[in-house]
Amino acid sequence: MRSVNFKKTKKKKSSWVLATLLMKKYLDSSEKPEELFNTLPPTIDQVELNHCKFLMYGALRNILRIKSALNNLIEKKPKNLISAIFYICGFELLECTTNKKEKIVHNAVEEAKGIVSANEVKFINAVLRKLTTELENQSPEQSLSVYYSHPQWLVEHWIIQFGEENTEQLLKWNQQVPSLYLYSKNLSEEIVAKLSPTLRPYLYKLPEKGLQDTEIKEILMNGQGYIKDPATLNAVDALDPKPNETILDLCASPGGKTFDCIERMENTGTIVAVDLPNKRIKRLEENLCSFQKENPNLKIFPQDILKIDEQLFVDSDLPTRYDGVLLDAPCSNTGVIQRKPDIRWRLNSDDIEECAKLQLSLLSKASHWIKPKGRLVYSTCSIDYKENDAVIDGFLNTQEGRTFKLMDRKIYYPWKEKHDGAGVFLLQKSND
């Protein structure tokens, strides 16, 4: 079967079939899931989209476990569309109660009739009938990597760093469906009553179908609220931007932390948001355009951080020194695997080392733009030592780093904090 262009397909497909076809595209191309979801027909409603995402992400979270079970049933690797059917149905079998498993297999076989041949339907039916038992026979004692569907090298890497008990807690966390949180200062008492408060002011945990609530959808569409994970607030908490300060936000896209800075500065002072001049800067501009109208001192600066020099700031009529600099560095994303399950399959053992080298270079560059006694916050959404403490230690031992003092550090481990993982470090420049 040829790859489907969803936007040109007139016949309406179920969310199950859409998830299966997206999984096939993923197996064909290894595209990021969020990019694949953009290929869905614009007519898909929110309920169908949510179910499609649930199935797709669930299959990605469990793909190694399902593959392992299939290996005991199939000698030859099937083509990607049939594999996609197995992965989507396999996830459903893992999620459901025993008395619904026969119904799930029946539904998968019926749905498959519309996208594969009659002979392939027979093959799929035969395999799925046996897949249930194979999945039930698996256990974490046999293999943490297979049972929790993470690469073996990554499991071993974490065991060395966190110990086996904490690693298993992390693996379990990554297999859960992530919670959604709404940040807003504009909620009525009626809406607040529908939500679960968190320890953070103005941050609320949404119920399972919260995005389908008409009032919440309206708040998001009007820009009166934003979907945020609690971990995204930690870096700005550490920076603590104040009214009338000058703040430099590096690696700013998509703009969530810039927005948090704007709020804390009460729309005063100067904020310069920097990111690469590509699709990242376009997304940043789209997300911050309404705030730029209200604050002429919010500047979006499309630059490669490693290539910025003082003259570029001067030529753009921007400050060359700042009260606070926030560097939310590109990283391995090991703290957000629950939210982005495909990350585990994109990473390899060399990526963490490569990230750490880039992070140290970015941190050294960021340190150039800070006033005496100014603050520098380095943050990642990684929980890896090499990308957090090791980068900071390496920086403090450089010529630039010797003029800074480490004021605070915190690693947010998902299995402890019950939200995305992150590393946040607050440095202060000396008065020299």
Side-chain angles (χ1 to χ4, degrees), residues 13 30 51 62 81 129 133 149 165 239 260 273 332 339 372 421:
K13 291 178 168 56
S30 294
H51 188 236
N62 292 278
L81 179 56
R129 298 288 170 192
T133 303
S149 207
E165 183 178 345
L239 186 66
D260 293 336
S332 64
R339 199 167 300 282

Side-chain angles (χ1 to χ4, degrees), residues 210-223:
L211 290 181
Q212 297 172 30
D213 186 283
T214 304
E215 291 176 289
I216 290 174
K217 283 198 288 187
E218 187 175 343
I219 286 169
L220 293 170
M221 288 178 63
N222 294 338

Side-chain angles (χ1 to χ4, degrees), residues 372-373 403 429-432:
K373 288 199 171 179
T403 62
K429 189 174 176 64
S430 67
N431 198 25
D432 298 333

Side-chain angles (χ1 to χ4, degrees), residues 225-253:
Y226 303 87
I227 299 298
K228 274 183 176 297
D229 187 86
T232 64
L233 297 167
N234 294 323
V236 181
D237 282 348
L239 186 66
D240 191 22
K242 299 175 178 63
N244 298 311
E245 285 192 320
T246 53
I247 299 294
L248 181 62
D249 184 5
L250 301 172
C251 304
S253 186

Side-chain angles (χ1 to χ4, degrees), residues 26-68:
Y26 173 81
L27 296 174
D28 288 343
S29 65
S30 294
E31 284 185 73
K32 292 183 178 180
E34 55 264 34
E35 294 172 0
L36 291 174
F37 287 121
N38 290 334
T39 68
L40 288 170
T43 53
I44 189 170
D45 65 36
Q46 191 63 51
V47 174
E48 290 175 310
L49 178 60
N50 289 346
H51 188 236
C52 185
K53 287 184 174 182
F54 172 75
L55 293 173
M56 174 74 173
Y57 281 127
L60 284 172
R61 281 191 191 94
N62 292 278
I63 197 168
L64 182 59
R65 183 175 176 184
I66 299 167
K67 273 184 183 179
S68 178

Side-chain angles (χ1 to χ4, degrees), residues 72-259:
N72 295 329
L73 303 173
I74 304 172
E75 291 184 7
K76 185 179 177 183
K77 182 181 181 297
K79 63 185 184 181
N80 284 344
L81 179 56
I82 293 175
S83 291
I85 291 170
F86 289 149
Y87 298 151
I88 296 296
C89 185
F91 164 63
E92 289 185 297
L93 291 171
L94 288 171
E95 280 290 292
C96 79
T97 55
T98 303
N99 60 348
K100 290 185 179 179
K101 292 187 176 182
E102 189 172 335
K103 197 175 193 179
I104 284 171
V105 171
H106 175 76
N107 177 70
V109 171
E110 290 301 306
E111 294 279 24
K113 289 177 180 177
I115 53 177
V116 299
S117 70
N119 283 336
E120 288 170 328
V121 170
K122 291 179 183 177
F123 171 67
I124 289 166
N125 181 51
V127 172
L128 289 182
R129 298 288 170 192
K130 299 175 183 177
L131 182 59
T132 299
T133 303
E134 287 294 331
L135 292 172
E136 288 173 349
N137 288 338
Q138 294 172 325
S139 71
E141 290 75 25
Q142 294 168 338
S143 169
L144 290 176
S145 168
V146 169
Y147 189 79
Y148 295 111
S149 207
H150 283 67
Q152 181 66 34
W153 75 265
L154 188 56
V155 174
E156 292 172 356
H157 179 75
W158 283 341
I159 288 174
I160 292 170
Q161 199 166 159
F162 308 128
E164 188 161 341
E165 183 178 345
N166 285 335
T167 295
E168 187 164 8
Q169 291 301 311
L170 174 57
L171 296 171
K172 287 179 180 178
W173 169 265
N174 287 344
Q175 294 307 87
Q176 297 172 24
V177 176
S179 299
L180 291 178
Y181 298 83
L182 175 68
Y183 180 84
S184 178
K185 295 182 177 180
N186 303 289
L187 301 184
S188 65
E189 291 182 6
E190 292 78 10
I191 297 177
V192 170
K194 299 178 184 179
L195 308 176
S196 301
T198 68
L199 297 176
R200 300 275 191 170
Y202 311 115
L203 188 70
Y204 304 89
K205 185 176 180 180
L206 291 177
E208 184 178 341
K209 297 183 179 179
L211 290 181
Q212 297 172 30
D213 186 283
T214 304
E215 291 176 289
I216 290 174
K217 283 198 288 187
E218 187 175 343
I219 286 169
L220 293 170
M221 288 178 63
N222 294 338
Q224 296 177 312
Y226 303 87
I227 299 298
K228 274 183 176 297
D229 187 86
T232 64
L233 297 167
N234 294 323
V236 181
D237 282 348
L239 186 66
D240 191 22
K242 299 175 178 63
N244 298 311
E245 285 192 320
T246 53
I247 299 294
L248 181 62
D249 184 5
L250 301 172
C251 304
S253 186
K257 293 181 175 65
T258 310
F259 166 74

